[in-house]
Amino acid sequence: MHPLVPLSIQIAVAIGLNPLVLVIPEVLASNIGGAATLIGDPPSTIVGSHVGISFGEYLVNMAPVAMICMIALLAISWLIYRKDFADTKRSVSPALAEQMASESKIINQTTLYKASLITLITFIGFFLAEFFDQMPPGVVALCGAAVLIVWVRPNMHDMLHEVDWTTLLFFIGLFVVVGAMEATGAIDWLATRIILIAGDSIDKAALLTTWVAGITSGIVANIPFTVAALPVADYLSANIPGALENRLIYWALILGADLGGNATYLGSAPNIVAVGLLAQAGYRLTFMRFARDGVPVTFVTLIIASIYLLLRY
Amino acid sequence: MGLILCATRGGEASFRTQEAAIDLAKKRGDNIVFIYVVDLGFLDRTAAPIVVDVENELDQMGTFFLIMAEEKAKEKGVQARTITRHGTVQEEIIEAVRDENATTVVLGRPAGSAGSESAFQAASLEAFAKKIVAETKAEAIIV
């Protein structure tokens, strides 16, 4: 998503459109689309890896609801921004057109072909992994990366600079904190309260999980929330009859965390990065301005997710 | 003939600053250098794995805004060129004033509209203008 934002800003400015009109729906779409595959959004990957969901199983269960939510987003965006789109310029200056064209040039075709081939094989590997003793998607991705490193021979010094060590340390710390919460019984206490509300009803528990995850992910970032909520989902799945077989609580957690991240710009990483990129272009995306579009989209998509979960499982 | 350094991005506030700098250059017979600073400080605020080349994308976006500014200057018959620098905005502007031997720096006041803002917050703008004058001897104008 990140490379699209600067380009979208340029296109918007060139045709006389406020960049927010393009960037906000783009960010919301990236979070919704991320729910469609196991590797699309961090909460999907975190839950999928924890439970051992295969790439194919994830796609079959989550892609349909992600597509329905995407259609809802398109409809809402059209309703909000149709007047802005109608007022755009139809031509840009030759110098600006040349600059944009210069960015679309492929500068290393050989590497592109190699990377495309390995990406394709890696994607096939994601689907085939379940036939190899449920190989985790992370192992498939690492295999693809290893082959590409050997084949393309990039500058490893530069590659190691690209690794986000801060994030890795953040995750290590987060898992330690969640482990401490489990050890002290805090997670069990929280899960017991949810079971008290939901009773033995798997539907009530799924709806609670979806909406609590959705609302919380709009307030705190959805990645730490998902990590913290996983033990609760485990507890609910183990103690509510039927929940473990169809993984309903886990699907609810994934949808709640992925879709809820759209409510505010604090909800997910792409939102925060988009705010920074817009600021670099001189456009301020305030908390309230993001929420003006994000909250209704989140509300509608969480309703869609709730109906989908109840009907399908 | 002097040289005006105009810090710029996109947004209404920056466009107004560009216009003011161009008008000033025309009135004085000065040339203009438009500068865009790629500042990646905002990435520290997220725990997201940023694996794409954000810096390169911002560099290209900056070039785009600089071309727009250069076109505006040429339309009004003012000689203009552009530079892109990487780092902290205020530090890079001061360095650019020294490197380019600029005689005047034009800074944009924060916009009142909700959709855009200047490169600087109102509170720190005056202080930054004074810092420019103190450290480079160039004139600093807030528009």
Side-chain angles (χ1 to χ4, degrees), chain A residues 2-7 10 103 277, chain B residues 38 52-63:
Chain A
H2 305 124
L4 274 183
V5 172
L7 189 63
Q10 292 170 57
E103 292 179 36
L277 290 170
Chain B
V38 177
V52 291
D53 191 356
V54 175
E55 190 168 11
N56 186 41
E57 294 297 327
L58 284 177
D59 203 288
Q60 291 179 333
M61 186 174 77
T63 306

Side-chain angles (χ1 to χ4, degrees), chain B residues 55-132:
Chain B
E55 190 168 11
N56 186 41
E57 294 297 327
L58 284 177
D59 203 288
Q60 291 179 333
M61 186 174 77
T63 306
F64 179 86
F65 287 131
L66 290 171
I67 289 172
M68 285 182 82
E70 200 176 7
E71 280 188 336
K72 279 182 200 164
K74 279 179 184 166
E75 277 170 18
K76 293 195 176 180
V78 173
Q79 278 283 100
R81 58 191 174 84
T82 64
I83 51 170
T84 303
R85 293 180 74 111
H86 297 239
T88 309
V89 174
Q90 295 198 358
E91 287 172 10
E92 290 303 320
I93 289 174
I94 289 175
E95 279 301 306
V97 173
R98 292 195 185 109
D99 292 349
E100 301 290 331
N101 289 321
T103 50
T104 305
V105 181
V106 175
L107 302 170
R109 200 178 290 281
S113 64
S116 59
E117 65 170 3
S118 166
F120 309 99
Q121 294 301 315
S124 63
L125 190 65
E126 298 278 352
F128 181 50
K130 283 178 186 166
K131 191 177 175 187
I132 290 172

Side-chain angles (χ1 to χ4, degrees), chain A:
Chain A
M1 194 285 297
H2 305 124
L4 274 183
V5 172
L7 189 63
S8 303
I9 292 169
Q10 292 170 57
I11 291 169
V13 171
I15 61 173
L17 193 64
N18 187 325
L20 304 188
V21 173
L22 291 184
V23 173
I24 293 176
E26 229 169 61
V27 173
L28 299 177
S30 96
N31 289 325
I32 292 172
T37 72
L38 189 58
I39 54 170
D41 252 350
S44 309
T45 313
I46 292 165
V47 177
S49 302
H50 175 76
V51 185
I53 301 171
S54 72
F55 196 83
E57 182 192 357
Y58 186 98
L59 196 71
V60 168
N61 282 279
M62 291 289 100
V65 66
M67 284 174 70
I68 297 167
C69 290
M70 194 66 86
I71 292 166
L73 170 68
L74 287 173
I76 294 169
S77 300
W78 180 80
L79 278 173
I80 297 173
Y81 294 122
R82 63 187 189 282
K83 283 182 185 165
D84 295 275
F85 287 123
D87 294 338
T88 55
K89 283 192 292 187
R90 301 293 170 199
S91 62
V92 299
S93 82
L96 293 180
E98 193 182 324
Q99 164 62 15
M100 284 196 281
S102 73
E103 292 179 36
S104 63
K105 281 177 190 156
I106 295 165
I107 50 174
N108 190 336
Q109 284 214 335
T110 312
T111 303
L112 175 69
Y113 292 142
K114 287 177 181 176
S116 301
L117 182 64
I118 297 298
T119 304
L120 181 68
I121 293 169
T122 306
F123 262 93
I124 294 168
F126 284 135
F127 284 104
L128 298 179
E130 61 187 293
F131 301 110
F132 292 92
D133 200 21
Q134 293 287 329
M135 188 191 291
V139 175
V140 179
L142 278 175
C143 289
V147 172
L148 200 58
I149 284 171
V150 172
W151 199 12
V152 173
R153 293 182 179 278
N155 183 329
M156 284 313 294
H157 188 72
D158 290 346
M159 289 295 102
L160 288 173
H161 268 292
E162 293 282 331
V163 177
D164 197 336
W165 300 108
T166 313
T167 301
L168 294 178
L169 286 171
F170 164 77
F171 274 111
I172 291 168
L174 195 61
F175 280 110
V176 169
V177 171
V178 172
M181 285 174 73
E182 275 185 274
T184 54
I187 298 285
D188 285 356
W189 181 86
L190 182 65
T192 312
R193 299 281 89 75
I194 293 175
I195 287 184
L196 278 177
I197 298 169
D200 278 348
S201 168
I202 188 171
D203 290 346
K204 271 190 194 170
L207 287 179
L208 263 173
T209 306
T210 306
W211 285 86
V212 169
I215 292 166
T216 314
S217 292
I219 302 163
V220 298
N222 60 4
I223 298 173
F225 171 77
T226 307
V227 175
L230 260 182
V232 179
D234 289 341
Y235 189 95
L236 293 175
S237 296
N239 289 284
I240 294 176
L244 207 54
E245 288 74 33
N246 59 13
R247 305 192 204 269
L248 179 55
I249 302 298
Y250 295 111
W251 299 131
L253 175 59
I254 289 169
L255 286 175
D258 281 347
L259 302 175
N262 270 339
T264 69
Y265 70 52
L266 300 174
S268 80
N271 308 359
I272 299 168
V273 175
V275 169
L277 290 170
L278 279 164
Q280 278 281 299
Y283 292 89
R284 189 170 171 223
L285 178 51
T286 61
F287 184 87
M288 292 307 291
R289 178 64 186 83
F290 189 95
R292 194 200 81 176
D293 291 6
V295 169
V297 168
T298 303
F299 186 69
V300 170
T301 52
L302 283 177
I303 287 176
I304 292 170
S306 302
I307 295 169
Y308 175 84
L309 291 171
L310 293 181
L311 289 178
R312 175 146 185 184
Y313 303 98

Side-chain angles (χ1 to χ4, degrees), chain B residues 33-60:
Chain B
V33 174
F34 291 106
I35 176 172
Y36 178 84
V37 180
V38 177
D39 184 353
L40 296 176
F42 70 93
L43 291 180
D44 296 338
R45 292 179 213 153
T46 175
I50 308 298
V51 292
V52 291
D53 191 356
V54 175
E55 190 168 11
N56 186 41
E57 294 297 327
L58 284 177
D59 203 288
Q60 291 179 333

